[in-house]
Amino acid sequence: MVITAHFIDSDWNLHKRVINFISITSHKGEAMGRVIEDCLKEWEIKKLFTITVDNASANDHLVNYLKRRFCSNILSDYVHMRCVTQIINLVVTESMKESIASIDRVRAAVKFIRASPARIQKFKDCVEIERIQSNSLLCLDVCTRWNSTYMMLEAAQKLELAFGRFEELEPQITSEVAVEGGMPKQEDWNNVRRLVTFLRCFYELILKVSDTSHVTSNNFFHDLSLLYYVLQEIKCEDDPQMSLMAGRMIEKCDKYWGGKSNKLNILIFVGVVFDPRYKLRYLILAMKEMYEEEIAIEVAEMVKSTILKIFNEYKNELSMQNQSMDPTQCKSSSLAIRDEEQSAENRARARFRRLHSEVGGGENVSVLDKYLAEGNENTKDGENFNVLIWWKIHSYRFPILSAIARDLLAIPISTVASKSAFSTGGRVLDSFRSSLTPQIVEALICVEDWLGGSPMLSHPCYKIWQSRRHLNEK
């Protein structure tokens, strides 16, 4: 099992660190929960914001176990974040059921051509004869991974004419692919082109949400709303096959992201509010395009109440931290303020500030409304906008909101970062290193991940790891 920590440091830089790569004896939820609990205690991590896991029933038990163990240090209503990439995979699988026969024919033809270098060269000659202006090369997919199937179909449909020419030069292919229904026909190529156009938006979405070098929790809603719009448009088309496919996909999306779904994590919507380019007004308008108006209003109220609840939680925590400050520091601070306010003008200003605070309900109470009421940031240069830099600059104006944003924007909405560690693990623990102990494998994986990231040598976690390494050496 891989445990990856995502966080934003005090300088507003996003980090991803593998903190555990461990062999487990049971895949039951509570057993995995105890492994995570031990890992967090070892790293002295006392607070959790969200836990991103695959959509499996065992992970539901895992999250419930951690809720009980960290009940005082988490916002338990929002801690469970289901992996977006896996849900998209489930949705896309629904769309490919109607075109399985066409996909199988194309796959069989590609497999035959790629079986030998001579056939590959002959196919390249066919591409030249047909004067096809494309740099795409035939690639064979992994049938259990739809994104690889998409790349196979995208490359193949550009070379459609070359397949016909190759069949004339290599008649043997007809008998070889007969088991799969023969060579792709014109109807198959029409299905493939339609499917490629349809899957392209999902493929691009997967690439976006899998990014670990940039924040993703504030951007996913835009792609989700676009996805709903595209599916609703296709559902209304005259093509009965595509309409049926889109309808099934909308039902699948509603199961996880629908307004009344019990699997929806509302933080997916809250993240948009903490992007100064959009905020709450944009979110409400976009939701009305996604859902029915009644459901959109209900979800909007959920978002508002969630923001207020989180704001109050952070406000209380901040006030408790201020009360626990060193009394000598408070005394010196108050003396400095009195020195600055010796003049009558400063004393008058301080008095009016106190009166304004009492009448207006306090600065901390109204700061959320102040942020939401301000105009949105200019989006003309949206591609170059860095939301972390914006919060870094404005953190002195919104100290509570910036603390929320730091946790909220660090949320990973997919488990790709953790899954990629298994690829590294396969290279580390190959057939020539099969005698490595689990502890050595974990050390190699974690060190490679940490050294490959940004400098973290001054981070407390690194110092803890370094001190334990010295103890182990002794």
Side-chain angles (χ1 to χ4, degrees), residues 19-289:
I19 61 174
N20 202 307
F21 187 86
I22 189 169
S23 176
I24 58 177
T25 58
S26 173
H27 287 85
K28 293 183 178 180
E30 293 203 355
M32 292 190 293
R34 283 191 287 271
V35 174
I36 296 177
E37 181 186 9
D38 293 339
C39 174
L40 297 179
K41 287 181 178 178
E42 184 178 3
W43 284 93
E44 299 182 9
I45 297 174
K46 299 178 181 178
K47 293 186 179 182
L48 299 174
F49 195 76
T50 58
I51 304 168
T52 306
V53 289
D54 285 343
N55 184 43
S57 57
N59 288 331
D60 294 340
H61 297 296
L62 180 154
V63 172
N64 290 331
Y65 175 85
L66 293 176
K67 282 183 181 180
R68 295 195 301 270
R69 294 299 183 183
F70 293 86
C71 58
S72 60
N73 293 319
I74 61 174
L75 297 168
S76 59
D77 294 338
Y78 322 111
V79 69
H80 191 179
M81 180 67 70
R82 288 175 170 81
C83 177
V84 167
T85 53
Q86 190 194 27
I87 296 174
I88 293 174
N89 288 340
L90 295 175
V91 172
V92 173
T93 303
E94 291 291 328
S95 71
M96 300 179 70
K97 289 180 178 179
E98 302 295 332
S99 303
I100 288 179
S102 299
I103 295 172
D104 287 342
R105 292 189 186 100
V106 173
R107 182 184 292 120
V110 172
K111 185 177 180 180
F112 177 85
I113 294 170
R114 287 177 54 86
S116 73
R119 292 174 185 173
I120 293 175
Q121 183 58 48
K122 186 178 289 187
F123 186 81
K124 289 181 179 179
D125 295 339
C126 294
V127 172
E128 292 182 3
I129 293 172
E130 295 293 339
R131 299 182 181 274
I132 299 175
Q133 301 296 324
S134 175
N135 295 324
S136 299
L137 298 176
L138 291 181
C139 58
L140 189 61
D141 71 327
V142 179
C143 59
T144 56
R145 298 180 181 178
W146 71 266
N147 53 339
S148 67
T149 302
Y150 161 76
M151 289 187 285
M152 178 189 72
L153 296 178
E154 184 186 36
Q157 57 98 16
K158 296 177 182 177
L159 308 172
E160 175 187 349
L161 296 176
F163 279 92
R165 177 73 66 171
F166 184 86
E167 187 178 7
E168 296 175 1
L169 299 178
E170 191 77 27
Q172 183 185 354
I173 190 174
T174 305
S175 58
E176 288 286 338
V177 301
V179 179
E180 300 295 342
M183 284 291 290
K185 303 175 179 61
Q186 187 61 45
E187 182 182 355
D188 296 319
W189 289 116
N190 292 337
N191 289 336
V192 166
R193 276 191 290 271
R194 193 164 47 196
L195 191 60
V196 165
T197 303
F198 187 67
L199 292 180
R200 186 172 291 114
C201 61
F202 290 95
Y203 181 74
E204 294 173 352
L205 177 57
I206 285 287
L207 295 180
K208 288 182 182 179
V209 300
S210 302
D211 189 4
T212 58
S213 59
H214 299 87
V215 294
T216 54
S217 58
N218 63 318
N219 291 322
F220 173 63
F221 172 78
H222 312 301
D223 298 306
L224 180 62
S225 59
L226 178 62
L227 178 61
Y228 265 87
Y229 179 82
V230 171
L231 291 177
Q232 289 165 359
E233 288 288 312
I234 295 174
K235 186 179 179 181
C236 298
E237 288 183 357
D238 296 332
D239 190 333
Q241 181 179 344
M242 295 294 290
S243 178
L244 180 62
M245 179 178 65
R248 286 205 304 264
M249 296 178 76
I250 291 175
E251 291 179 3
K252 202 74 172 180
C253 288
D254 286 340
K255 181 179 178 181
Y256 298 98
W257 300 313
K260 295 185 177 181
S261 172
N262 59 352
K263 296 184 178 182
L264 171 68
N265 191 323
I266 201 68
L267 294 184
I268 288 178
F269 299 144
V270 175
V272 182
V273 180
F274 282 81
D275 190 325
R277 294 171 293 176
Y278 307 105
K279 299 185 181 178
L280 188 59
R281 190 179 303 173
Y282 165 85
L283 179 68
I284 294 174
L285 292 174
M287 283 193 296
K288 289 181 178 179
E289 296 288 333

